[in-house]
Amino acid sequence: MTTAPRAIPSSVNGWSAEYVERQYEAYRADPLSVPEEERMFFAGFDLAQAGELKLSTAAGGTGVSSPGGSLSSPAAAIRNGASQATPVPSRSPVSDRARITPGRGQVAGRASHFQAVVDDLIGCYRAHGHLTAKLDPFGRERSRPESLSLEYHRLEPDDLNRAVDGTGLGFAEDVPLREAIERLESTYCGTVGLEAAHIQDAERRGWVFERFERTAGRVPLDRRQRAHTLELLTKAELFERFLGKRYPGEKRFSLEGSESLIPLLDRLLETASDLNVEEIVLGMAHRGRLNVLNNTLGKSYQQIFTEFEETWVDDFEDGGGDVKYHRGYSGTRRFPSGKMLHLAMASNPSHLEAVDAVVEGRCRAKQRLRGDKERTRVIPVVIHGDAAIAGQGIVQEVLNFSQLEGYTTGGTIHVVVNNQIGFTTSPEDGRSSRYCTDIGKFIDAPIFHVNGEDPEAVVSVAQLAVEYRQEFRGDVFIDLQCYRKYGHNEQDEQSFTNPILAKLIKGQKSVLDTYSNYLLNEQVINQADVEAIRFRLDEALEQAQAKAKSSPFDPTIDPGSARWQGLGGGFTFEPGETAVSVELLKEVSEALGTVPEGFGLNRKLKALLDHRSKLYESDEVSYADAEALAFGTLLVEGHGLRLSGQDCRRGTFSHRHAVLADSETGERFTPLNNIREMGLLDTNDKPGTPGNDGKPRQARLDVFDSPLSEQSVLGFEYGYSLADPSMLVMWEAQFGDFVNGAQVIIDQFIATAEAKWERWSGLTLLLPHGYEGQGPEHSSARIERFLKLCGGNNMQVVYPTTAAQCFHMFRRQVKRSFRKPLIVFTPKSLLRVPNSTAAQLTSGQFYEILDDPRFTDRGGDRSKVKKVMLCCGKLYHELAERRDLIGREDVAIVRIEQLYPFHVELMKEILARYPGAELCYAQEEPRNMAGYLFVSDQIMTHLKIDRPRHIGRPNAASPAVGSKRMHKVEQEQILTEAIGPKPE
C-alpha cells in the first residue's frame, strides 16, 4: 500500500478570525473534531488564558479577562502575536488522544481542558518515551527529553492528584494523573522503547499504541514460559562456551553478549505458528549464525562439530564448499500446540545484507506455491547487524519494493542484533541517524527497541512484532540492543580501538547469570533446576563432539526437495525437447494477436498484433516474436514464467508489449495469460488439469516493471528461482551495462552458490548488448566479466544471433535434467529484425556453435575458404552483409552462440571442415573485453591450435567511445580488416 505525502499545514497566522472562532467552538464541543495543529493551538490558548486568570485574580482583578484583552479569544491571540509564542503543548509532535477506543468518561474528558493537556503529555510519552528508555545493556543513563516533564506542559505538582481518563492506558476507570504517569513511565521508558508516532495510517498507529499500552509493553509469562526462556539462554551460552573451549583457534562469530536473540526467535516462531504461519524464510549474516542454526533451526551438535573437525570432506573435494557460518539449512519445528512450522535459512556470504533480497524472493515463490494470496502462511524474517542495516544500500532497496505489486511478501520481520559497533567502527562513525533502524520509518514500520539484558521484554516485543505483521501485512523492526563479548571474531582484540566499551563488557555479567538470579529470587526455579539444565546440555555437547570425531555426520542438507526430484546439477550438451507442434504454435500465435471485445488497443500496435497472430506460418520471425512464442508454448505446457526488470512489460526498446494498456482506461491485458483457461496453484485447477473446454489449463506469466534497482531486484529473482525448478524465472536489465550494479549478487550467488552451498538455480539474465554508437554506458553488458566467473560448468553464457536460437534457448532452460543460471546477451537494434522462420521452431534445437549457412544451406564450396572468422552476436550479421556485398567466397564465418560451457567437440568438428584456413576472431568490443581472450584460451588448451588472430578494437579502459561518428569509423575498420572495404 502506498501513501500520499502529507500536506504541510498553513500557519495559524493565515487563519481568518471568523474561521478561528468557528473552529474554537467546535474544539470546545469535541477536541477531536478539529485538525491536529488547530487542536494543539487551542489547548495552548486555554492554558495561557488559565495562567492569565490566575495572575489577574491574585492581583485583585476580576478574573474576567487578561490585561488589555490580548487573550480574550483565540482570534485576538493571533492578532496580538500569541501564535508566535504558542504555549508549550503545541510543541508536542503527537496529540493523539490517550484513549485509543472510547471509554468511560469520554464526553466529560473531551470538554476538559485539563484532560487535553494530559492528552498532550501522553502523546509526548508515545513520541519521545523511547529517547529515555532503559535500553543500554550496561545500564548507562540516557538524557531525558524536556517534553516528558510536568513543567513542559505547564502542569504543577498539585495536578498529580487530579483525575484523568485512564481507560486508554489499560485502567478500568479514571485515575489520578500520578498513576497515569507511572504507567506511562513503565510502558514507554522501561526496557522497551517504542517508535510508532511516525506511522501515518491512524488504524495501524492506534493498534500499536493500544496493544502496547494494554499490558504496559509486556506480555505476561507463566512459570513454564519463564523456565523455557531460561533454558534457551542456557543452551545459547553453553553452546558458545563449548565451542570457545574446544576450538579456540576457530572463527565462529560468537553470539555471546547477544544470547537473548535465541528466546526472541523462539517466541517469534511460536507466535507465528499460533497465527497459522506454516513456513518462515530466514536470512542473517554470520554473527550468531551457528547458534541460530542449532537452537532455532535444529541443526544438530554432531553436524556442527563435524564441520569444526573437518571430518566430512565431500564438499571440498572439487575445490568448492564454504565456511560453516555461511551455510543455510532447513528444518521443521513442532510446538506445544502440536502445530508444525517449516524453517528455511538462506545461505549468505560475508556480504551481510545481500541475503535480504534473496529471502524476499524465495518467500514470494513459496507463497505462490502454497497459494498464499493473503501472504500470511509464509513470512520472511531477516536478522541484521546494526552497522550493516544502516550502511548497506540494498536494505533501502528491499524496503522500497516491500509494498510493490510484483515484489511484496506481505511484510518482513526485521531483527537487528545491535552490538553497538561494526568490526571496529562505532555508531558515531557509522551512521548519521539516531538509531540504526531509522530507515524503517520511511515505510511507516513500527520499531521496537529492547534491552537484550531483559529476556522477558525481548520475548514480549517478539510476540507483538509477529501480531502486527499478521494483522497489517507490513514490515516491523526489533532493535535488540546488546553487545559483542569479543571482537569482530574471537581472536580480535577490541580494546585496541574501543577501550571503554571493552572495559564495560569485561565487567558485565552474562544475561544468563542475571536472569537465573532473577528467577531464583522470584522462586520460579530453584538451584537444582539450574544445575540440571546445565548438566544435561554439557553431556549432550560432549557426546556430540565424540561422535563427530568417530562418525562424521553430513552437515549439509539435500539442496533440492520434492519439486527438484529427477533434477541435478550435472551439465550436459543434451538439448532437451524444445521443438513444438504447428498446432501449438498456431494456438499461441492467435492468442498473441487477440484482445478482448471493446479493448482500446493503441492504434500503433494494431499492425504488431496482426503480425503476431500469423507467426505460426510466417517466414519472418524476429527475436521479439520468438521470445513471445517460447513463453506462450511453455505456459501451455504448464511452466510458470516470471519476468521482472526496469520497463520489461513493454520492453526498453518497445519490442515486447507483453502487457497491453487500454488507451482509454489504462486497464492492463496480458495476451499470453489468455491462451487457455488459467490454472491456479491454490485450487484443483492447476496447470495441466483439464479446463471446461477439455484442454489442459495453462500456467501464468507474471511480468513486472521493477523499481530502479539492479542489485536488490536481481537478488529477489535469484531467491525466487530457488523454489520451483519447473518455472522459468527471468530478470532483464534496462541496458546490459547496468548489470554491474548487481555484481555482488552475480559473484556471491549466481556464479558460486552451487559450488559453495549446493543451491541450484535456473535463473535467466537478459542483458541487452551491442555496439551501436550509444556510448560507453549503453553498449556492453561486460561479457568478459561473466566469462571470468565461469568454472566447473557453473552457468551458461550465450549470445544468440537468430530468433530460432532464442526460441530453443528459452525452452531448453526448463526442458533439461539440470538447472544452471543462464546469462543471455540480447540484441537491441536487431530485436525486431526477422531472421528465422516458423518451421525452425517446429524442428531443430539450440546449437552452441553455428557453421556458416553459406556452406551448410546454400551449397558454397568449402575448398575455397582461406580464412575462418569466429565471432559472436550482432557482428555476424554485419560481417555476412559485407561479405555478400563484395562477393568474397574465401571467408567462412562461424558463430559461437554459447561461450560457456564451451562445446569443444563441436568446434573441433566444424573447424575440421576448413583444413588449412587461417583462424581469426572478430569482435566489436575492445580486445581485452568480450569473448576473444576466453575463446582463444579454450582453442589453444583443448584444440591445441595457435591463438586466433584478433580483429577488433584495441585494448581499452572504457567499453566504447562516446562519439557516434567515431563509432562508425571504428566499426568500419573492423569490417574492412575482417572482410574488406566497402565498394566505392
Side-chain angles (χ1 to χ4, degrees), residues 387 421 486 491 532 586 697 797 799 829:
I421 193 169
Y486 303 107
Q491 288 75 48
K586 183 175 187 291
R697 296 174 185 267
V797 179
Y799 194 178
S829 60

Side-chain angles (χ1 to χ4, degrees), residues 612-629:
R612 287 184 172 178
S613 69
K614 302 179 182 65
L615 283 173
Y616 66 94
E617 58 183 5
S618 176
D619 289 333
E620 295 187 344
V621 178
S622 68
Y623 174 97
D625 298 331
E627 177 192 86
L629 291 172

Side-chain angles (χ1 to χ4, degrees), residues 116-138:
V117 176
V118 171
D119 289 350
D120 202 58
L121 173 63
I122 294 171
C124 286
Y125 270 97
R126 289 175 177 159
H128 303 149
H130 65 90
L131 296 174
T132 193
K134 300 173 181 63
L135 303 179
D136 185 65
F138 308 109

Side-chain angles (χ1 to χ4, degrees), residues 841-855:
L841 313 184
T842 57
S843 63
Q845 64 181 60
F846 179 86
Y847 299 96
E848 289 80 8
I849 305 173
L850 289 175
D851 197 357
D852 196 327
R854 167 179 282 187
F855 305 104

Side-chain angles (χ1 to χ4, degrees), residues 169-433:
L169 296 175
F171 296 102
E173 57 187 0
D174 290 357
V175 296
L177 176 59
R178 176 180 284 101
E179 289 187 30
I181 291 177
E182 288 173 356
R183 175 65 67 88
L184 289 166
E185 283 286 324
S186 64
T187 301
Y188 288 104
C189 305
T191 51
V192 179
L194 170 65
E195 289 191 275
H198 59 276
I199 301 174
Q200 297 188 44
D201 182 84
E203 181 185 3
R204 295 187 178 208
R205 185 177 66 242
W207 186 96
V208 174
F209 286 140
E210 189 277 332
R211 186 70 181 83
F212 193 64
E213 292 170 0
R214 185 195 306 169
T215 56
R218 312 286 285 220
V219 174
L221 300 180
D222 59 27
R223 182 187 183 93
R224 182 196 67 80
Q225 291 169 325
R226 286 175 157 185
H228 180 61
T229 300
L230 177 65
E231 181 160 2
L232 291 171
L233 289 172
T234 307
K235 284 182 175 180
E237 182 174 301
L238 293 189
F239 176 78
E240 297 292 356
R241 285 188 181 181
F242 188 88
L243 292 180
K245 180 181 178 181
R246 298 301 173 88
Y247 305 102
E250 290 277 349
K251 286 184 182 180
R252 55 191 165 92
F253 296 99
S254 158
L255 190 64
E256 288 164 284
S258 314
E259 292 94 342
S260 288
L261 176 66
I262 300 304
L264 185 157
L265 291 175
D266 186 81
R267 176 52 69 95
L268 187 158
L269 300 182
E270 185 168 2
T271 304
S273 179
D274 289 341
L275 295 177
N276 300 316
V277 175
E278 299 169 359
E279 184 167 3
I280 285 180
V281 183
L282 182 67
M284 68 180 298
H286 43 272
R287 169 88 39 217
R289 188 183 190 89
L290 295 177
N291 211 310
V292 171
L293 283 169
N294 172 245
N295 286 305
T296 303
L297 278 88
K299 188 171 185 177
S300 71
Y301 291 143
Q302 191 175 346
Q303 286 176 296
I304 293 173
F305 295 154
T306 295
E307 291 178 305
F308 276 95
E309 297 290 341
E310 295 190 353
T311 49
W312 187 269
V313 298
D314 286 11
D315 285 348
F316 308 101
E317 286 180 346
D318 297 322
D322 197 2
V323 291
K324 45 198 164 289
Y325 42 80
H326 286 170
R327 291 181 178 274
Y329 197 76
S330 65
T332 301
R333 290 279 300 270
R334 180 188 291 275
F335 294 97
S337 64
K339 290 186 175 182
M340 307 288 285
L341 180 67
H342 184 72
L343 306 173
M345 177 188 278
S347 298
N348 189 36
S350 290
H351 286 70
L352 305 177
E353 303 293 340
V355 77
D356 300 2
V358 177
V359 165
E360 301 299 333
R362 192 173 176 189
C363 180
R364 171 78 174 229
K366 288 175 177 285
Q367 290 172 341
R368 168 186 167 272
L369 291 171
R370 288 182 183 263
D372 184 13
K373 291 184 177 179
E374 298 300 316
R375 310 199 186 283
T376 58
R377 291 156 53 198
V378 186
I379 66 174
V381 175
V382 178
I383 304 174
H384 310 267
D386 53 308
I389 192 174
Q392 296 193 12
I394 195 171
V395 176
Q396 184 276 337
E397 293 183 17
V398 172
L399 292 177
N400 180 58
F401 65 52
S402 64
Q403 299 300 313
L404 301 184
E405 175 193 5
Y407 309 90
T408 184
T409 53
T412 300
I413 299 173
H414 302 264
V415 180
V416 180
V417 179
N418 190 341
N419 295 139
Q420 307 175 69
I421 193 169
F423 203 156
T424 66
T425 304
S426 56
E428 55 266 28
D429 292 321
R431 63 175 185 264
S432 297
S433 59

